[in-house]
């Protein structure tokens, strides 16, 4: 069984930064992809960033140049550094490791 926990959300002013962490534990496969989707209130969940075991990265165009995803396999942690946050980035951010989801962490960008 795999367990995933996100952390690092919060309230930030426009132009600010936050760093999210996703730590996985349990019976992880040797190779796995980690997704960071987000879900604004009342809207669908969409993929923001992805990193696979080879380090190949995908970013949604809306965050490219502002968000950076990275992984530390030694600690089984994936990070999402978010810079120049804007109100439209407000959402619940989830981490998905394989087929397992975390509980999500709220990011609110507001002045």
């Amino acid at each position: 069984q795999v367990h995933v926990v996100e952390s690092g959300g919060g309230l930030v002013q426009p132009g600010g930064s936050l760093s999210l962490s996703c730590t996985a534990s349990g019976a992880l496969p040797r190779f796995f992809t980690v997704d960071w989707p987000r879900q604004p209130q009342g809207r669908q969940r969409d993929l923001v960033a992805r990193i696979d075991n080879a380090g190949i990265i995908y970013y949604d165009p809306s965050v490219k140049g502002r968000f950076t995803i990275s992984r530390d396999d030694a600690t089984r942690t994936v990070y999402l550094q978010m810079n120049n946050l804007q109100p439209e980035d407000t959402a619940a951010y989830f981490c998905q490791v394989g087929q397992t989801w975390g509980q999500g962490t709220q990011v609110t960008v507001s002045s």
Side-chain angles (χ1 to χ4, degrees):
Q1 185 177 359
V2 176
H3 188 55
V4 175
V5 177
E6 305 100 332
S7 62
L11 173 64
V12 65
Q13 293 186 344
S17 298
L18 284 174
S19 181
L20 305 183
S21 298
C22 167
T23 300
S25 60
L28 285 168
R30 181 177 179 185
F31 303 109
F32 58 90
T33 295
V34 178
D35 288 347
W36 276 105
R38 66 184 178 189
Q39 186 169 18
Q41 190 173 6
R43 296 174 61 184
Q44 68 180 21
R45 190 175 295 185
D46 291 323
L47 182 63
V48 172
R50 167 180 290 161
I51 186 167
D52 70 10
N53 58 281
I56 296 174
I57 291 171
Y58 163 82
Y59 295 108
D60 183 84
S62 66
V63 307
K64 198 168 187 179
R66 300 188 297 123
F67 290 14
T68 302
I69 189 171
S70 60
R71 63 191 284 166
D72 181 347
D73 287 338
T75 61
R76 295 181 167 184
T77 301
V78 174
Y79 302 94
L80 186 66
Q81 176 65 39
M82 305 184 295
N83 298 327
N84 191 22
L85 284 161
Q86 300 300 317
E88 53 266 33
D89 295 315
T90 295
Y93 284 70
F94 297 87
C95 179
Q96 182 183 3
V97 179
Q99 299 302 311
T100 303
W101 293 83
Q103 80 287 352
T105 185
Q106 180 66 33
V107 171
T108 302
V109 185
S110 175
S111 56

